[in-house]
Amino acid sequence: MSPNRIWHILLSSLILFLSTGSVLSESQCGGYITNPKGYIHTPYFPKPYKVPIHCQWIFEAPQGSKVSVYFTQFYMKKGITAADYTYYSSHIKAGVGKYDFGIISSNDEPTYLVSNQQILVLTMNVRSLDNIHLRVRENLLDVSGFNITYEMILRNETVREDSCIYHHCSFTGNCFATADFSSYICKCFANYFGEECQYDDTCGPNSTSSVCLNGGTCR
């Protein structure tokens, strides 16, 4: 096989990979994404990732469409920023028609973010893991980074209202999309149950004990 033929095959494979937006491995950070729906995550989620780290996820929707990101499992208080563009170059990390959404923080309990334009860029820039991640209930949610879903919708479509994030699951479960991304559900941690993981053995509809005083309702 001639060298030119080999280079042609390699180049075709690279173009195919870029066009599908495939994820190579759990350690990969960032990528160019054109699939109509799916998910992205930090390296080794839910385990810690190596720092310092800098990477970008570039979503490019078809003409006449926009990108909707749902923060289903998002535990970062800082280190993530978002912006959309009419055109963006990953080589020089700059674009045209920029609108800056700023820092995306779990402290603000974001549910979703919808781009105004065809291209949405999420940038991760973390130098240290100190005070970066959300921790609640004595490390019950002892995870690092994020695992979030997205879909590309028409410009005149409204964002779905049934998505959920960690606080919708009472901080005692994780929010997951179903396999076909048609709905979102809470998957509860051990010993917790309910549609929003709001109950446990001491606090539930069938509990015989009461942990609430003065007529309070246990949730």
Side-chain angles (χ1 to χ4, degrees):
M1 184 179 295
S2 68
N4 288 339
R5 178 59 177 167
I6 294 174
W7 277 111
H8 177 75
I9 293 174
L10 291 175
L11 181 60
S12 299
S13 300
L14 177 61
I15 292 173
L16 177 61
F17 164 71
L18 291 176
S19 65
T20 57
S22 300
V23 177
L24 289 178
S25 70
E26 66 172 2
S27 64
Q28 181 176 339
C29 188
Y32 178 71
I33 301 165
T34 58
N35 284 344
K37 59 181 64 176
Y39 67 94
I40 62 171
H41 59 79
T42 49
Y44 306 108
F45 179 87
K47 300 176 182 178
Y49 45 84
K50 296 178 181 179
V51 291
I53 188 171
H54 178 84
C55 47
Q56 290 185 320
W57 290 267
I58 305 169
F59 302 85
E60 183 170 357
Q63 288 287 343
S65 298
K66 56 187 178 182
V67 183
S68 181
V69 174
Y70 303 99
F71 296 99
T72 44
Q73 298 177 62
F74 186 79
Y75 306 106
M76 299 188 65
K77 295 189 287 186
K78 52 187 176 181
I80 299 293
T81 57
D84 66 16
Y85 301 83
T86 54
Y87 170 78
Y88 187 82
S89 170
S90 60
H91 300 292
I92 61 174
K93 292 182 169 53
V96 176
K98 179 181 180 180
Y99 176 85
D100 195 349
F101 292 98
I103 297 173
I104 309 300
S105 173
S106 59
N107 289 338
D108 300 324
E109 298 185 347
T111 303
Y112 61 83
L113 184 150
V114 182
S115 67
N116 301 302
Q117 303 180 88
Q118 186 178 352
I119 298 173
L120 177 68
V121 178
L122 294 183
T123 300
M124 180 178 184
N125 190 13
V126 178
R127 293 184 176 274
S128 169
L129 294 179
D130 294 341
N131 198 31
I132 285 286
H133 298 102
L134 176 72
R135 293 290 183 266
V136 297
R137 294 201 179 184
E138 298 179 352
N139 293 328
L140 184 62
L141 281 178
D142 190 16
V143 297
S144 298
F146 64 76
N147 180 47
I148 58 181
T149 59
Y150 74 89
E151 62 182 349
M152 299 177 184
I153 59 178
L154 296 176
R155 285 191 180 276
N156 59 356
E157 280 189 80
T158 57
V159 65
R160 64 189 309 147
E161 297 180 354
D162 64 343
S163 61
C164 59
I165 61 173
Y166 55 85
H167 74 273
H168 294 149
C169 302
S170 306
F171 297 101
T172 51
N174 279 320
C175 175
F176 288 96
T178 54
D180 60 355
F181 296 92
S182 62
S183 62
Y184 289 78
I185 58 173
C186 290
K187 184 176 181 180
C188 305
F189 298 137
N191 301 321
Y192 291 90
F193 61 97
E195 186 176 346
E196 298 177 352
C197 304
Q198 69 269 40
Y199 301 125
D200 62 14
D201 293 338
T202 62
C203 173
N206 300 320
S207 175
T208 57
S209 63
S210 177
V211 295
C212 300
L213 302 177
N214 302 319
T217 300
C218 183
R219 280 184 54 83

